[in-house]
Amino acid sequence: NAGVTQTPKFRVLKTGQSMTLLCAQDMNHEYMYWYRQDPGMGLRLIHYSVGEGTTAKGEVPDGYNVSRLKKQNFLLGLESAAPSQTSVYFCASSYLGGYSRTSGSSYNEQFFGPGTRLTVL
Amino acid sequence: SQQGEEDPQALSIQEGENATMNCSYKTSINNLQWYRQNSGRGLVHLILIRSNEREKHSGRLRVTLDTSKKSSSLLITASRAADTASYFCATVETGANNLFFGTGTRLTVIP
């Protein structure tokens, strides 16, 4: 049981380049999230998904797109990277619908991946 | 804007001492959660307290919630060097599913 995994771990881009960050979870969670973490800012929600085929904007969605074609995967895309997108990106997932005796998780508890450190030059 | 604001921003204590971190938030919430982040790693869920609960314990952790003051505290008793990490509170607004994270408290436990 790998939990939440993220690919890649590190990446350096030039301004204007594009890339896709991949998040995968094997816990059969309905909800998935993408956050960015900047020094002194805590985590800010970029986009999230409440189920396969659905996505929604979070607090800081501009410059990013997402897709949830499969329940276990959530992709974050940067079409034209900018230096302001230099950050650490975290993916998370959560169980929907209350306490799960199987997983031991509680409503809205989020499970995080290890992060992707992205630098845009 | 973020829901939670932690206080203090940084805390340094000796091993064996207790550490207390506070969190204030702005709107009505469904629940409040605390997470730990070790340097260079993802966040790990510690404890969740619902809006109708006032206190909750988990091992060496004690969380309180005062909805009238819109504040919560996290107490770590008998701290260990391994507790060195950043601690974040996160709130779920009433009727919502998303978490809003605070800016975190950086805890250093000196052996």
Side-chain angles (χ1 to χ4, degrees):
Chain A
N1 195 337
V4 180
T5 58
Q6 292 183 232
T7 308
K9 289 185 169 55
F10 304 93
R11 187 71 186 269
V12 178
L13 291 178
K14 294 181 179 178
T15 298
Q17 287 185 317
S18 63
M19 78 163 295
T20 300
L21 282 68
L22 170 64
C23 175
Q25 53 96 3
D26 61 2
M27 295 173 283
N28 202 33
H29 285 169
E30 289 292 338
Y31 278 39
M32 296 188 74
Y33 314 81
W34 275 107
Y35 294 91
R36 60 177 289 172
Q37 184 178 32
D38 302 293
M41 296 291 290
L43 275 76
R44 291 181 292 170
L45 183 65
I46 304 171
H47 286 279
Y48 65 100
S49 169
V50 302
E52 183 179 327
T54 71
T55 62
K57 293 180 180 180
E59 188 181 355
V60 288
D62 293 342
Y64 305 95
N65 56 76
V66 288
S67 64
R68 183 97 180 268
L69 300 180
K70 294 182 179 180
K71 186 177 182 179
Q72 63 268 35
N73 295 338
F74 195 29
L75 305 180
L76 177 70
L78 286 74
E79 288 187 349
S80 180
S84 61
Q85 293 178 305
T86 293
S87 187
V88 182
Y89 292 85
F90 288 100
C91 175
S93 69
S94 67
Y95 178 76
L96 173 66
Y99 184 75
S100 166
R101 274 185 286 180
T102 302
S103 67
S105 67
S106 302
Y107 183 58
N108 285 135
E109 172 191 354
Q110 293 189 10
F111 295 80
F112 283 80
T116 295
R117 186 173 295 275
L118 175 66
T119 301
V120 182
L121 303 175
Chain B
S1 63
Q2 290 168 335
Q3 263 278 41
E5 295 290 337
E6 280 96 336
D7 172 62
Q9 289 186 334
L11 179 62
S12 184
I13 59 175
Q14 295 288 333
E15 199 165 33
E17 293 181 337
N18 296 342
T20 299
M21 289 158 267
N22 303 297
C23 170
S24 60
Y25 57 92
K26 298 175 183 175
T27 65
S28 176
I29 62 171
N30 177 288
N31 66 71
L32 184 144
Q33 304 175 32
W34 285 91
Y35 287 78
R36 183 187 73 226
Q37 183 181 33
N38 290 90
S39 182
R41 309 288 287 273
L43 279 73
V44 175
H45 181 266
L46 294 176
I47 195 165
L48 180 154
I49 186 165
R50 301 188 190 282
S51 60
N52 60 353
E53 297 175 313
R54 292 296 168 258
E55 188 171 315
K56 205 162 183 180
H57 296 255
S58 177
R60 293 184 296 113
L61 305 180
R62 173 178 170 251
V63 170
T64 62
L65 179 65
D66 187 335
T67 53
S68 67
K69 295 181 179 178
K70 291 185 168 57
S71 67
S72 173
S73 68
L74 171 67
L75 169 67
I76 304 174
T77 60
S79 64
R80 305 166 183 169
D83 294 329
T84 294
S86 291
Y87 292 82
F88 295 88
C89 71
T91 54
V92 178
E93 290 183 359
T94 302
N97 285 297
N98 298 332
L99 284 176
F100 287 90
F101 285 85
T103 53
T105 292
R106 174 71 187 168
L107 172 66
T108 301
V109 181
I110 302 167

